[in-house]
Amino acid sequence: LAGFSGWVKNDGTPFVLITSLMMLVMSLRKRDATGIIRFVIGLAVPLAVVLTYREFLAAPGNIVTSAGDMLPRLLDADRIRTVLVFFLKQTYLFGSAAYAYTLILLAILLVGGVDFRNENALFIALIFLLQYAAYFTVYLITPLDLLWHLNSSMPRVFVHIAPLLAFAVFSLVREQNLFPIKQQPGAATSKPTVD
């Protein structure tokens, strides 16, 4: 699945790189070489198709062709402020203020509480944060007109990471707080039921 995300224009490339890095880190931490081997095998075929397409059919991306000018754009305080304002607004709206997507997820997390002992969930949240940071950086270094690029592509970019945000939130939340388990009256030995 990480490999297939590479097909989504340039938006999926950071996800491929980030998930690969995180899988490697998790495999090293757990001393489980089979995890990273299975990941690489699963990644190989879709990524081979994507790389073949990009090498022989697709035109080079704007960022690749203007790599020499990245640093001045990356350090430009006005660009950073502009991108930051757009990101904060889009994060709050996540497509539309009517949906209150981010606020609903935040409320779920507040009600359920965060399970900091779940290392896998923390890795998923970190993948989201790194993906978010990667998109932020891409907007800083883009050679395209910044306001045009933000207005024309940011809603689409956020649609790509909205499912990842939801997955991260529901991975982090303590299940027993959202769905408390209660014993049936007079049935202490029976299986607990979920409210």
Side-chain angles (χ1 to χ4, degrees):
L1 292 175
F4 283 129
S5 73
W7 191 261
V8 188
K9 297 181 71 177
N10 295 321
D11 305 340
T13 304
F15 186 73
V16 174
L17 298 174
I18 291 165
T19 51
S20 299
L21 176 65
M22 296 305 290
M23 284 299 296
L24 179 62
V25 169
M26 286 183 72
S27 293
L28 291 174
R29 280 179 58 86
K30 295 182 178 184
R31 294 186 173 93
D32 177 22
T34 58
I36 192 66
I37 290 169
R38 286 195 304 265
F39 181 80
V40 169
I41 290 170
L43 186 69
V45 174
L47 203 55
V49 173
V50 171
L51 292 175
T52 301
Y53 168 78
R54 290 190 178 204
E55 180 64 28
F56 298 108
L57 298 172
N62 294 319
I63 291 173
V64 174
T65 55
S66 64
D69 301 326
M70 279 186 194
L71 192 58
R73 288 193 295 266
L74 196 58
L75 301 176
D76 185 338
D78 286 334
R79 287 179 77 85
I80 293 171
R81 186 169 39 256
T82 301
V83 174
L84 183 61
V85 167
F86 267 77
F87 258 69
L88 291 175
K89 183 179 178 186
Q90 193 65 36
T91 300
Y92 164 70
L93 296 176
F94 244 107
S96 167
Y99 300 135
Y101 186 84
T102 309
L103 297 178
I104 291 169
L105 290 175
L106 181 60
I108 289 169
L109 205 53
L110 289 174
V111 169
V114 178
D115 184 2
F116 289 105
R117 295 167 300 164
N118 186 344
E119 188 177 272
N120 291 339
L122 294 174
F123 270 101
I124 291 167
L126 187 56
I127 288 172
F128 169 78
L129 292 173
L130 290 172
Q131 183 79 2
Y132 191 86
Y135 285 148
F136 188 92
T137 305
V138 166
Y139 281 110
L140 288 181
I141 62 177
T142 181
L144 302 172
D145 177 74
L146 184 58
L147 291 177
W148 173 84
H149 199 187
L150 287 166
N151 283 310
S152 64
S153 67
M154 189 175 281
R156 169 179 52 82
V157 163
F158 271 76
V159 166
H160 291 172
I161 60 172
L164 183 56
L165 175 59
F167 187 51
V169 166
F170 283 104
S171 297
L172 284 169
V173 76
R174 289 191 180 108
E175 283 183 44
Q176 65 272 21
N177 288 356
L178 279 185
F179 305 104
I181 297 174
K182 291 185 178 179
Q183 295 283 351
Q184 291 291 340
T189 57
S190 64
K191 289 185 177 180
T193 58
V194 177
D195 282 351

